[in-house]
Amino acid sequence: MSWDADDVTLVSLDWLKPHEEIKIKNRDKLLDMTKKWGGFTKPLLVDSQSGAILDGHHRHSVAVSLGLKRVPVILIDYMENDDVSVDPWPGCGLETISKQDVIDMSLSGNLYPPKTSRHTISNHLPPIHILLEELSRIE
Protein backbone atom coordinates (compact mmCIF):
# COMPACT_ATOMS: atom_id res chain seq x y z
CA MET A 1 0.00 0.00 0.00
CA SER A 2 1.28 3.42 -0.92
CA TRP A 3 0.05 6.68 0.57
CA ASP A 4 -0.53 9.88 -1.34
CA ALA A 5 -1.93 13.31 -0.61
CA ASP A 6 -5.51 11.97 -0.97
CA ASP A 7 -4.92 9.85 2.16
CA VAL A 8 -4.25 12.96 4.26
CA THR A 9 -7.07 14.20 6.47
CA LEU A 10 -7.27 17.08 8.93
CA VAL A 11 -8.03 16.14 12.53
CA SER A 12 -8.47 18.13 15.71
CA LEU A 13 -5.20 18.80 17.48
CA ASP A 14 -6.93 18.03 20.78
CA TRP A 15 -7.62 14.40 19.71
CA LEU A 16 -3.95 13.52 19.20
CA LYS A 17 -2.00 11.72 21.92
CA PRO A 18 1.80 11.74 21.98
CA HIS A 19 3.67 8.80 23.50
CA GLU A 20 7.17 10.27 23.44
CA GLU A 21 8.85 13.50 24.50
CA ILE A 22 10.50 15.74 21.92
CA LYS A 23 13.84 17.50 21.66
CA ILE A 24 13.05 21.21 22.07
CA LYS A 25 15.96 22.30 19.86
CA ASN A 26 14.66 20.11 17.00
CA ARG A 27 11.12 21.43 17.48
CA ASP A 28 12.34 25.03 17.40
CA LYS A 29 14.16 24.43 14.09
CA LEU A 30 11.04 22.82 12.64
CA LEU A 31 8.89 25.67 13.99
CA ASP A 32 11.06 28.22 12.16
CA MET A 33 10.89 26.20 8.94
CA THR A 34 7.11 25.72 9.23
CA LYS A 35 6.65 29.48 9.59
CA LYS A 36 8.96 30.05 6.62
CA TRP A 37 7.02 27.54 4.49
CA GLY A 38 3.71 28.95 5.73
CA GLY A 39 2.30 25.48 6.35
CA PHE A 40 2.85 21.80 6.99
CA THR A 41 4.77 19.87 4.34
CA LYS A 42 4.47 16.39 5.85
CA PRO A 43 1.53 14.75 7.65
CA LEU A 44 1.67 12.98 11.00
CA LEU A 45 1.06 9.23 11.12
CA VAL A 46 -1.66 8.46 13.68
CA ASP A 47 -3.50 5.40 14.98
CA SER A 48 -7.11 5.70 13.80
CA GLN A 49 -8.52 4.03 16.93
CA SER A 50 -6.74 5.86 19.75
CA GLY A 51 -5.30 9.05 18.24
CA ALA A 52 -1.79 7.92 19.25
CA ILE A 53 0.92 9.75 17.30
CA LEU A 54 3.24 7.21 15.67
CA ASP A 55 5.35 9.58 13.60
CA GLY A 56 5.37 13.35 13.95
CA HIS A 57 5.82 14.31 17.60
CA HIS A 58 7.85 17.40 16.65
CA ARG A 59 5.22 18.43 14.07
CA HIS A 60 2.57 17.99 16.78
CA SER A 61 4.56 20.23 19.12
CA VAL A 62 4.89 22.84 16.35
CA ALA A 63 1.10 22.80 15.94
CA VAL A 64 0.65 23.29 19.69
CA SER A 65 3.18 26.15 19.69
CA LEU A 66 1.34 27.86 16.83
CA GLY A 67 -2.06 27.38 18.46
CA LEU A 68 -3.41 25.46 15.46
CA LYS A 69 -6.80 23.79 15.69
CA ARG A 70 -6.18 20.98 13.19
CA VAL A 71 -3.26 19.05 11.78
CA PRO A 72 -2.78 16.95 8.63
CA VAL A 73 -2.53 13.22 9.37
CA ILE A 74 -2.64 9.83 7.76
CA LEU A 75 -4.80 7.54 9.85
CA ILE A 76 -3.97 3.84 10.05
CA ASP A 77 -5.18 0.89 12.08
CA TYR A 78 -1.84 0.59 13.88
CA MET A 79 -2.46 -2.74 15.59
CA GLU A 80 -3.54 -4.41 12.33
CA ASN A 81 -1.28 -2.67 9.81
CA ASP A 82 1.85 -4.66 9.00
CA ASP A 83 3.29 -1.73 7.00
CA VAL A 84 4.32 -0.12 10.30
CA SER A 85 6.53 -1.83 12.88
CA VAL A 86 8.13 -0.59 16.09
CA ASP A 87 11.45 -1.31 17.80
CA PRO A 88 13.33 0.45 20.58
CA TRP A 89 16.07 2.88 19.54
CA PRO A 90 19.51 1.51 20.41
CA GLY A 91 20.65 2.84 23.78
CA CYS A 92 17.19 3.95 24.90
CA GLY A 93 17.18 1.57 27.86
CA LEU A 94 14.47 -0.77 26.60
CA GLU A 95 15.12 -4.24 25.25
CA THR A 96 11.78 -4.39 23.47
CA ILE A 97 8.77 -2.22 22.76
CA SER A 98 5.46 -3.33 21.27
CA LYS A 99 2.67 -1.57 19.45
CA GLN A 100 0.52 -2.14 22.53
CA ASP A 101 3.20 -0.45 24.68
CA VAL A 102 3.03 2.61 22.40
CA ILE A 103 -0.78 2.76 22.58
CA ASP A 104 -0.77 2.25 26.36
CA MET A 105 1.77 5.05 26.87
CA SER A 106 -0.18 7.44 24.65
CA LEU A 107 -3.35 6.79 26.65
CA SER A 108 -1.61 7.02 30.03
CA GLY A 109 -0.79 10.72 29.87
CA ASN A 110 2.88 9.86 30.46
CA LEU A 111 5.62 9.99 27.85
CA TYR A 112 8.66 7.94 26.94
CA PRO A 113 11.93 9.90 26.65
CA PRO A 114 12.83 11.17 23.15
CA LYS A 115 14.08 8.50 20.75
CA THR A 116 12.56 5.53 22.61
CA SER A 117 10.33 4.07 19.91
CA ARG A 118 11.55 3.73 16.34
CA HIS A 119 8.78 3.17 13.86
CA THR A 120 9.67 1.64 10.52
CA ILE A 121 7.21 2.58 7.83
CA SER A 122 7.20 0.64 4.57
CA ASN A 123 5.58 3.60 2.79
CA HIS A 124 6.83 7.15 2.63
CA LEU A 125 4.60 9.89 3.97
CA PRO A 126 3.52 12.00 0.98
CA PRO A 127 4.71 15.57 0.54
CA ILE A 128 1.91 18.06 1.17
CA HIS A 129 1.48 21.79 1.62
CA ILE A 130 -1.39 22.75 3.87
CA LEU A 131 -1.39 26.39 4.85
CA LEU A 132 -1.24 27.45 8.50
CA GLU A 133 -4.29 29.62 7.88
CA GLU A 134 -6.33 26.52 6.98
CA LEU A 135 -5.03 24.64 10.03
CA SER A 136 -6.01 27.54 12.31
CA ARG A 137 -9.70 27.27 11.39
CA ILE A 138 -12.18 25.11 13.30
CA GLU A 139 -14.40 23.05 10.99
Side-chain angles (χ1 to χ4, degrees), residues 2-11 16 30 34 37 39-47 52-60 63 70-76 121 123-130 135:
S2 178
W3 296 313
D4 61 33
D6 291 338
D7 296 313
V8 176
T9 186
L10 299 182
V11 301
L16 299 177
L30 183 59
T34 302
W37 297 322
F40 273 58
T41 60
K42 187 176 177 183
L44 287 71
L45 186 63
V46 174
D47 175 49
I53 300 169
L54 310 174
D55 181 69
H57 285 85
H58 288 89
R59 281 168 270 152
H60 173 262
R70 302 179 299 159
V71 290
V73 304
I74 290 183
L75 296 170
I76 66 160
I121 306 166
N123 307 313
H124 292 289
L125 296 175
I128 59 171
H129 192 258
I130 300 177
L135 298 174

Side-chain angles (χ1 to χ4, degrees), residues 19-23 57 89 91-94 97 105 110-117:
H19 72 272
E20 196 170 85
E21 295 171 345
I22 60 155
K23 293 185 175 183
H57 285 85
W89 275 96
C92 77
L94 295 180
I97 191 169
M105 184 60 81
N110 296 317
L111 299 172
Y112 286 118
K115 296 293 183 189
T116 297
S117 66

Side-chain angles (χ1 to χ4, degrees), residues 60-86:
H60 173 262
S61 184
V62 163
V64 171
S65 296
L66 292 173
L68 301 179
K69 303 298 183 209
R70 302 179 299 159
V71 290
V73 304
I74 290 183
L75 296 170
I76 66 160
D77 186 343
Y78 181 49
M79 297 302 286
E80 299 297 322
N81 191 319
D82 293 333
D83 292 333
V84 179
S85 61
V86 65

